[in-house]
Amino acid sequence: MSKAHSYHFIFQDGTEYVDLVPSFPDVLNIILKENDHFQGNESSDEENRDMFVQLNRQDLEENRKPEGYNRKGKYRLIFPMDRMEMYIKSTSNGIKTSDVRRVGEKIQEILSASGLKFTTAEDDFIELC
């Protein structure tokens, strides 16, 4: 078993996926940067980063739940199936609750600046089986 740290963004009733379109590229780029994924100067890194952003953005534009970012890394960006929420999660042993909170607060600033209404919650330690 491992411990998970998470920071949740629970969107106000009436919020739809399409409402996330303006802010989502910046949110996803925070996760990619924190994971040090696709950060090189090579064109393949830039193309892969753009592909992840575009695929998620396309889902959002069509008001569908996006994939998020669930690859191996320090942080994952998850969209639950059953509610209008997104959260970042870390299952890495070396990641502290304060690190998850720091990344969550960066995302919170972006979402707030875009005018989205939401509440936040932290699940500092969730047992994963």
Side-chain angles (χ1 to χ4, degrees), residues 4-5 7 20-21 43 57 68 72 77 100 103 112-113 117 123:
H5 305 281
Y7 198 97
L20 301 175
V21 169
S43 63
R57 187 180 183 126
K72 195 172 192 174
L77 182 63
V100 175
V103 174
S112 293
K117 303 293 183 206
D123 290 328

Side-chain angles (χ1 to χ4, degrees), residues 81-109:
M81 296 290 290
D82 60 345
R83 58 195 179 276
M84 192 60 199
E85 176 184 337
M86 78 176 182
Y87 63 94
I88 58 170
K89 175 176 86 168
S90 176
T91 56
S92 297
N93 292 335
I95 302 297
K96 300 175 189 165
T97 302
S98 60
D99 293 333
V100 175
R101 185 177 302 119
R102 176 186 56 80
V103 174
E105 287 171 353
K106 284 182 182 181
I107 293 171
Q108 184 175 347
E109 287 178 23

Side-chain angles (χ1 to χ4, degrees), residues 24-40 45 49 52-53 69 72-77 88 95 102-103 106-107 110:
F24 189 76
D26 293 333
V27 169
L28 184 55
N29 280 318
I30 287 173
I31 298 299
L32 295 175
K33 184 175 182 182
E34 290 289 334
N35 284 330
D36 200 28
H37 290 171
F38 312 126
Q39 298 302 306
D45 277 350
R49 182 180 56 245
F52 271 101
V53 172
Y69 193 75
K72 195 172 192 174
K74 292 182 205 174
Y75 302 100
R76 295 180 180 182
L77 182 63
I88 58 170
I95 302 297
R102 176 186 56 80
V103 174
K106 284 182 182 181
I107 293 171
I110 291 167

